[in-house]
Amino acid sequence: GAVVSQHPSWVICKSGTSVKIECRSLDFQATTMFWYRQFPKQSLMLMATSNEGSKATYEQGVEKDKFLINHASLTLSTLTVTSAHPEDSSFYICSARGGGQGSSYEQYFGPGTRLTVT
Amino acid sequence: GQNIDQPTEMTATEGAIVQINCTYQTSGFNGLFWYQQHAGEAPTFLSYNVLDGLEEKGRFSSFLSRSKGYSYLLLKELQMKDSASYLCAVRDRRDMRFGAGTRLTVKP
């Protein structure tokens, strides 16, 4: 199946700093990418949806100025957590959907990035 | 919006069969997915249903009834490695949202 990578796989940062997470579709063009957040023992919560070349659509309660999403190309989307605080510590997972290899209905998930803010 | 419900936890015995139910409410239904997620890992795709009926894939089967807003995931010949969370996800016209997940424990 199609492959989606995320980098870094884990990161520890100090409170007040910013962290950028990259999500790449390796063998297909992702017209739409999704960013999810998952707290321990909870399900995935959709944060935002981004289409290549346009602004991301944020879910209610997700601060767009805090979680900056850039979908600059059909293979790359980035999530930047600005001025991170301990409550932002979570497992961030991206997902990509698009044409090319793989079924158009399927979303492919990256391996996730574990963020710890101290 | 969407409302997706599934049991929080289930326990079953190795070699047995288990059925995990999922009910949902959504506007603009565009498919139902089941994912498996082991602790600390990203979800992996198991099945997809967009039409009513049963989809079988090896030891896993998934059923959908759109009129009832209901799906189930059936796992046969359970193995210890099947212990994981199983997520029901519903896609509407715009995006995919997940249920809270069912944590399945398989015991010897």
Side-chain angles (χ1 to χ4, degrees), chain B residues 2 7 25 36 38 48 51 53 68 85 87 103:
Chain B
Q2 294 178 346
Q25 295 175 321
Q36 181 191 61
H38 287 97
Y48 167 72
L51 300 176
K68 295 182 179 179
S85 286
L87 309 177
R103 189 170 295 108

Side-chain angles (χ1 to χ4, degrees), chain B residues 8-9 11 15 22-23 25-26 30-31 47 49 52 58 64 66-67 71 79 84 92 100 103:
Chain B
T8 305
E9 293 188 19
T11 303
C22 172
T23 59
Q25 295 175 321
T26 187
N30 199 21
S47 69
N49 295 71
D52 291 350
L64 174 68
R66 289 172 296 171
S67 61
S71 172
Q79 302 175 8
D92 60 17
R103 189 170 295 108

Side-chain angles (χ1 to χ4, degrees), chain A residues 1-4 26-31 96-108, chain B residues 33 45 48 91:
Chain A
V3 178
V4 175
L26 298 185
D27 53 3
F28 69 104
Q29 293 184 325
T31 53
R97 188 175 81 205
Q101 182 178 346
S103 302
S104 62
Y105 61 76
E106 192 170 337
Q107 278 181 223
Y108 301 93
Chain B
F33 299 74
F45 171 80
Y48 167 72
R91 173 181 289 164

